[in-house]
Amino acid sequence: MPVSTRSSQPMIEPNGDFMFKPISSWEHSIEVTMEDVSYLSRPFGLTENVDAKLGIETSDLYNDMLERQTDYVSAQTYSPTASYIPYRRYLVDWMSDVGEQCSLHTTTVHVSILFLDKIFRSADIPRNKWQLLATACLSVAAKYEEAEEHCPPIPDLLKLTKLSQVGHTSLSFREGEVEVLRLLGWRLRAVPPLHVIGYYLAKGSIFEADRWQGKELIEKIPKYIKKYAEFFCNLTLQEYSFQQYLPTQLAAAILYASRVSLQITPRWRPELEVLTGYEEKDIIPLFNHVWEYYEEQFPGHGARSISPRSVAGKEFQ
C-alpha cells in the first residue's frame, strides 16, 4: 500500500506503542553537521556483545561476505537483458509466497532468489521448467540456510506448488535439485543484502550521539530501524536493477535509507564508515536509486502511512 513521505511527526499510540509515521521526504530531513555530534559514540540499544555471545570475531564473517559477495552479484555479472527479466517480478512474488507458506526465514527466500537469478542469467531455461527450478532453488536454499527440521519435505512442496499435478514426483524433484546444484557449481554461499543488514544491526547501526527529529533517541528506535531495513531489503529484492551493486554496498545504502526514513541525524557517521567500509559519498548514488524506486512503487503516498507489520515485508511481496 502507498506510503506517505510528508508527515514530520511519529505516531505514538496511547499505550505507548509506535506506529510507523509516514516516511518524510529526504530532501527536507533535519540537518545536523558533524560538528554537532561526537566523533565517536557508543551503539544505542544493544543489550549484548554479539562477538562475546557467539564466541567469535564477527568482523571475520563480514570480511568473508566481502570476499564471497561477487559469486552471485557484481557489475560484471549484471545482465538486465536476460530473457527472463520481464517475468522476474512474478517469480519473486511466487517464491516469496511459497516461502511464507513453508514458514521459511526471509533470508532463505532472498538466497533462493539469488540462486534463481544466477541460473537464469547463465543458462537458457525452458519455460516449462521455471516452476520446478524455482521450487528447487527454495528447497536447496532451505537445506543450506535453515535448521534441518525446518526444511519443507519434498511431498509437501510438490503438493503446495501443484508440481505433482503436472507429473512431478519426489525423484524428479530431486533431479531438479541436482540440476540447481550443478548450475550453481555447488557454490551455495550467497550473500543477499539482508544477511549484511543483520551484521550491521548486530554491531550497532544507531548511536548514542544520534538524534531523532532533533531530539534524544527513544528506546524503540533500534526496532524501528530493523523494520525499515527489512522493508527496503524486501523492496529492492523485487527489482533486478539493484543487482548491479555489491550486496554490502546496497546494504549500506539501505541502512542509510532507514536512518533517513526515521529522520535520524546525522544521516551517516564515522562509526558507520568504519563498520561498513563505505563513506557517505560511496553510497549516495545507491541511496538515490533505492529512494527513487520506493517512490515509484508507491506514487501518491503523501496522505498515507505504514505500520510495523506492513514493513515486515508481507504486504510488499
Side-chain angles (χ1 to χ4, degrees):
M1 58 184 176
V3 184
S4 171
T5 62
R6 302 304 175 195
S7 174
S8 62
Q9 296 297 324
M11 295 180 289
I12 307 292
E13 294 183 326
N15 62 4
D17 290 338
F18 178 86
M19 291 180 60
F20 266 73
K21 68 174 182 61
I23 295 180
S24 61
S25 176
W26 70 270
E27 293 92 343
H28 300 98
S29 296
I30 301 171
E31 293 293 342
V32 175
T33 64
M34 192 57 69
E35 289 74 21
D36 296 325
V37 299
S38 17
Y39 184 78
L40 293 175
S41 179
R42 293 186 302 177
F44 177 84
L46 291 185
T47 58
E48 57 187 0
N49 184 304
V50 66
D51 290 28
K53 180 181 179 180
L54 299 178
I56 60 174
E57 181 62 51
T58 54
S59 60
D60 292 339
L61 297 178
Y62 186 58
N63 289 333
D64 183 68
M65 285 191 280
L66 287 168
E67 292 177 4
R68 293 176 181 266
Q69 62 182 340
T70 54
D71 286 351
Y72 279 84
V73 177
S74 70
Q76 290 69 37
T77 59
Y78 178 60
S79 181
T81 59
S83 60
Y84 80 103
I85 295 298
Y87 310 97
R88 182 183 179 276
R89 176 66 179 270
Y90 300 105
L91 289 166
V92 170
D93 289 346
W94 184 80
M95 292 172 72
S96 299
D97 184 57
V98 172
E100 183 178 346
Q101 292 186 60
C102 292
S103 300
L104 297 177
H105 290 100
T106 306
T107 51
T108 300
V109 175
H110 283 230
V111 167
S112 72
I113 292 168
L114 286 183
F115 287 174
L116 186 82
D117 280 325
K118 183 171 184 176
I119 290 171
F120 277 44
R121 70 170 176 257
S122 60
D124 186 15
I125 307 297
R127 289 281 298 274
N128 62 0
K129 293 183 66 175
W130 283 13
Q131 186 181 15
L132 172 63
L133 291 187
T135 309
C137 284
L138 276 167
S139 182
V140 171
K143 291 172 180 176
Y144 190 81
E145 296 284 327
E146 305 268 349
E148 182 178 357
E149 60 270 21
H150 293 158
C151 296
I154 291 177
D156 293 352
L157 276 175
L158 292 176
K159 182 179 179 180
L160 175 63
T161 61
K162 300 182 179 180
L163 284 170
S164 57
Q165 296 182 13
V166 293
H168 283 290
T169 64
S170 293
L171 179 59
S172 65
F173 187 79
R174 290 192 185 97
E175 292 173 349
E177 289 182 316
V178 172
E179 184 173 2
V180 164
L181 293 168
R182 179 180 59 79
L183 290 169
L184 294 176
W186 296 83
R187 296 174 66 89
L188 303 181
R189 182 70 168 91
V191 181
L194 191 58
H195 274 174
V196 184
I197 282 291
Y199 171 77
Y200 291 164
L201 296 176
K203 297 292 281 189
S205 57
I206 51 177
F207 299 85
E208 292 180 352
D210 284 333
R211 290 294 179 266
W212 174 49
Q213 298 189 351
K215 300 173 290 188
E216 291 188 1
L217 302 178
I218 63 175
E219 182 181 354
K220 292 185 179 180
I221 284 292
K223 177 182 177 181
Y224 310 155
I225 284 287
K226 181 175 184 292
K227 291 295 185 182
Y228 274 117
E230 290 172 347
F231 162 67
F232 284 116
C233 282
N234 286 326
L235 187 68
T236 55
L237 180 70
Q238 298 172 353
E239 172 55 42
Y240 181 73
S241 64
F242 289 104
Q243 288 198 23
Q244 64 187 291
Y245 308 122
L246 293 175
T248 53
Q249 194 173 16
L250 179 55
I254 285 171
L255 179 57
Y256 191 101
S258 302
R259 289 173 61 91
V260 168
S261 299
L262 279 171
Q263 298 185 55
I264 302 295
T265 51
R267 296 173 181 170
W268 203 242
R269 300 185 58 88
E271 295 87 349
L272 291 172
E273 181 180 331
V274 172
L275 173 66
T276 67
Y278 296 109
E279 298 180 18
E280 186 172 16
K281 63 181 177 64
D282 299 325
I283 58 177
I284 286 294
L286 280 72
F287 162 72
N288 288 334
H289 188 178
V290 170
W291 201 269
E292 288 167 4
Y293 182 69
Y294 156 71
E295 292 187 323
E296 175 187 321
Q297 293 303 301
F298 301 97
H301 55 288
R304 303 196 184 185
S305 62
I306 53 179
S307 68
R309 184 175 181 181
S310 70
V311 295
K314 179 178 179 181
E315 297 180 16
F316 296 92
Q317 300 302 319

